[in-house]
Amino acid sequence: SPTHESLRSPMTIFDLTPGQAEQIRERLWRDHRVFVPVTGARGELYLRVSTAWFNTREQVDRLALVLPAVLGR
């Protein structure tokens, strides 16, 4: 996602290796029932996290809580 604040939107992407993006998406759903789509652009794969009006704060907080464990951090 852009680092300049004026270019940010209600969407954040995480740049990961292709195998890692798919694996993380699958683990988030299988282990935590959190759905995060994988999006491709310019030959790269990204996890696309939406923080738009249709997602609740609880959903975003849940992702923030489980993502470090899924990433192994």
Side-chain angles (χ1 to χ4, degrees):
S1 295
T3 54
H4 194 276
E5 189 172 323
S6 68
L7 299 175
R8 293 183 189 157
S9 70
M11 186 179 306
T12 303
I13 61 169
F14 294 88
D15 183 10
L16 304 167
T17 62
Q20 189 181 25
E22 294 288 341
Q23 180 184 30
I24 290 169
R25 179 183 60 98
E26 289 174 14
R27 284 190 62 202
L28 282 168
W29 179 249
R30 182 189 68 229
D31 298 344
H32 305 285
R33 289 297 184 242
V34 173
F35 178 75
V36 178
V38 172
T39 301
R42 296 181 305 258
E44 302 292 332
L45 291 179
Y46 305 93
L47 287 177
R48 183 175 56 88
V49 176
S50 177
T51 53
W53 61 270
F54 50 81
N55 292 106
T56 66
R57 179 179 297 267
E58 290 79 17
Q59 289 171 320
V60 175
D61 287 346
R62 180 172 167 78
L63 174 63
L65 180 68
V66 301
L67 193 56
V70 171
L71 293 175
R73 296 181 184 161

